[in-house]
C-alpha cells in the first residue's frame, strides 16, 4: 500500500513529460524521438501514448507518423487561459516591439528550470530567425529569454543551476560553457537586458528583458530575435531600451513589485 502513491506519481510524471515533448512543436514528435528524449522503454512510451490518445489528449498523425497534441488539450487550454490573461497584457507590447524594430518579438514564461515561449509577433524585416515559436522550451539560461530571467534570480539559485550545468543544459552545454554563461549573466545584470550572440543557432541572435511578478522575481521575459547583422553593437542599446520599457510596462500591469534590473547606459 505504501508504494502505491509513488507508483502513481511516477506515472503522472511520465505522462507530463511525454505531453511536454509532444507539445514542443505543432508537428509533434515521432515515437522514436519520444523514446530517446524521455528515457523510457519503447513499450512503456507506446502504452502511455495510446492511453493519452484514447482520452483525446494526443492524436497520431497518419501522414507524418508523429504524435501530436489532441483536441482535449485545446479545450483545457481555452479554459485555463481565462485565469492567465497574459495575452491581453503582453500582445500590445509585442506588437509595439515588432513594429518599432522590424524583428520578431516573443513573450516567454518560466516553468521550473525551463522557459517556454507563449506568444509571438512577427516583424516586418523579410529575413527571420525561426529558432523560437510558441511552445518551444529551453533550459533556463539558454536563449535570450532564459538568460534574462536567470540573470535576475538570486545568486544561490543561479549557482545551483550552474553546479549541474552539463545535466541542466544538455546539448546546449557545448556552446553555452559555464564561463560564457557567467559572462552573459553578468552583462545582462549590468545592462538590464540579455544578448544571445548566436549560441543556440549560428547567425540567429536574440535579446531579452525580464518581466517581474508581484514579489519582484523574474517570471517572464520579452525577447527579440533576428539575423546577426540586425543586432550589431551600435543597435543593441536601442533594442535593449525598447525591450526594458515594454518589460517594465507589463510588470506594472501584472502588479509586479521592486524590479531589480539596472537601466542601460
Amino acid at each position: 500500500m505504501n508504494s502505491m502513491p509513488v507508483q502513481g506519481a511516477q506515472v503522472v510524471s511520465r505522462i507530463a513529460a511525454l505531453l511536454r515533448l509532444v507539445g514542443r512543436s505543432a508537428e509533434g514528435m515521432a515515437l522514436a524521438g519520444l523514446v530517446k528524449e524521455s528515457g523510457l522503454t519503447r513499450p512503456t512510451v507506446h502504452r502511455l501514448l495510446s492511453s493519452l490518445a484514447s482520452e483525446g489528449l494526443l492524436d497520431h498523425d497518419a501522414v507524418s507518423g508523429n504524435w501530436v497534441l489532441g483536441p482535449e488539450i485545446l479545450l483545457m487550454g481555452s479554459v485555463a487561459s481565462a485565469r492567465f490573461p497574459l495575452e491581453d497584457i503582453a500582445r500590445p507590447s509585442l506588437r509595439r516591439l515588432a513594429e518599432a524594430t522590424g524583428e520578431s518579438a516573443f513573450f516567454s514564461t518560466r516553468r521550473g528550470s525551463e522557459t517556454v515561449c507563449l506568444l509571438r509577433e512577427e516583424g516586418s524585416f523579410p529575413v527571420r530567425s525561426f529558432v523560437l515559436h510558441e511552445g518551444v522550451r529551453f533550459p533556463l539560461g539558454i536563449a535570450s529569454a532564459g538568460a534574462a530571467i536567470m540573470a535576475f534570480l538570486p545568486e544561490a539559485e543561479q549557482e545551483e543551476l550552474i553546479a549541474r550545468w552539463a545535466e541542466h543544459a544538455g546539448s546546449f552545454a557545448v556552446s553555452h560553457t559555464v564561463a560564457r554563461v557567467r559572462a552573459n549573466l553578468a552583462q545582462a545584470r549590468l545592462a538590464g537586458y540579455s544578448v544571445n550572440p548566436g549560441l543556440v543557432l549560428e547567425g540567429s541572435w536574440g535579446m531579452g528583458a525580464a518581466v517581474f511578478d508581484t514579489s519582484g522575481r523574474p517570471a517572464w521575459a520579452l525577447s527579440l530575435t533576428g539575423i546577426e547583422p540586425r543586432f550589431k553593437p551600435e543597435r543593441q542599446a536601442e533594442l535593449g531600451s525598447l525591450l526594458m520599457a515594454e518589460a517594465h510596462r507589463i510588470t506594472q500591469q501584472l502588479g509586479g513589485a521592486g524590479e531589480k534590473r539596472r537601466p542601460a547606459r
Side-chain angles (χ1 to χ4, degrees):
M1 292 294 290
N2 290 337
S3 65
M4 291 302 291
V6 175
Q7 292 174 355
Q10 288 174 341
V11 171
V12 171
S13 178
R14 290 174 175 180
I15 289 173
L18 290 174
L19 288 173
R20 284 194 291 268
L21 288 171
V22 172
R24 282 181 176 176
S25 72
E27 292 74 29
M29 187 177 286
L31 175 61
L34 290 167
V35 170
K36 180 180 179 181
E37 293 286 338
S38 69
L40 301 174
T41 65
R42 189 182 183 92
T44 297
V45 172
H46 189 270
R47 182 176 68 253
L48 292 174
L49 294 175
S50 298
S51 297
L52 289 167
S54 69
E55 297 294 336
L57 296 169
L58 291 181
D59 276 335
H60 186 247
D61 189 311
V63 176
S64 68
N66 287 353
W67 290 88
V68 296
L69 295 179
E72 283 297 325
I73 295 290
L74 175 63
L75 295 175
M76 291 178 182
S78 299
V79 174
S81 65
R83 292 186 57 233
F84 306 99
L86 291 173
E87 178 158 7
D88 294 339
I89 294 174
R91 182 67 70 181
S93 288
L94 294 179
R95 287 175 179 157
R96 283 189 291 269
L97 286 169
E99 289 173 3
T101 67
E103 314 304 335
S104 297
F106 303 86
F107 185 70
S108 301
T109 185
R110 179 187 179 184
R111 289 288 296 156
S113 60
E114 296 181 313
T115 53
V116 186
C117 179
L118 298 179
L119 302 171
R120 171 182 59 183
E121 190 72 28
E122 298 291 0
S124 59
F125 191 70
V127 182
R128 298 170 184 168
S129 167
F130 295 97
V131 172
L132 271 180
H133 55 80
E134 293 94 330
V136 71
R137 295 169 179 264
F138 287 107
L140 195 63
I142 305 298
S144 55
I149 291 174
M150 185 173 171
F152 293 96
L153 289 175
E155 184 178 352
E157 291 186 40
Q158 293 183 30
E159 291 301 322
E160 183 180 348
L161 288 172
I162 290 174
R164 55 183 183 87
W165 188 252
E167 174 190 354
H168 169 72
S171 60
F172 296 109
V174 176
S175 56
H176 295 74
T177 64
V178 169
R180 185 183 285 268
V181 168
R182 287 191 184 278
N184 286 348
L185 295 178
Q187 182 59 37
R189 287 192 295 273
L190 180 65
Y193 55 83
S194 66
V195 178
N196 168 34
L199 297 181
V200 175
L201 180 67
E202 186 176 358
S204 177
W205 282 48
M207 295 178 60
V211 174
F212 296 80
D213 63 18
T214 53
S215 66
R217 289 177 59 84
W220 306 273
L222 288 171
S223 59
L224 293 167
T225 67
I227 59 174
E228 181 178 355
R230 302 280 289 176
F231 288 81
K232 293 296 185 182
E234 58 269 20
R235 194 179 183 225
Q236 288 178 16
E238 174 193 353
L239 297 178
S241 293
L242 291 170
L243 279 166
M244 288 192 294
E246 293 298 341
H248 178 66
R249 187 194 301 265
I250 296 175
T251 294
Q252 289 184 313
Q253 290 177 302
L254 292 170
E259 295 181 66
K260 301 175 184 178
R261 182 193 296 110
R262 277 190 174 183
R265 295 181 181 182

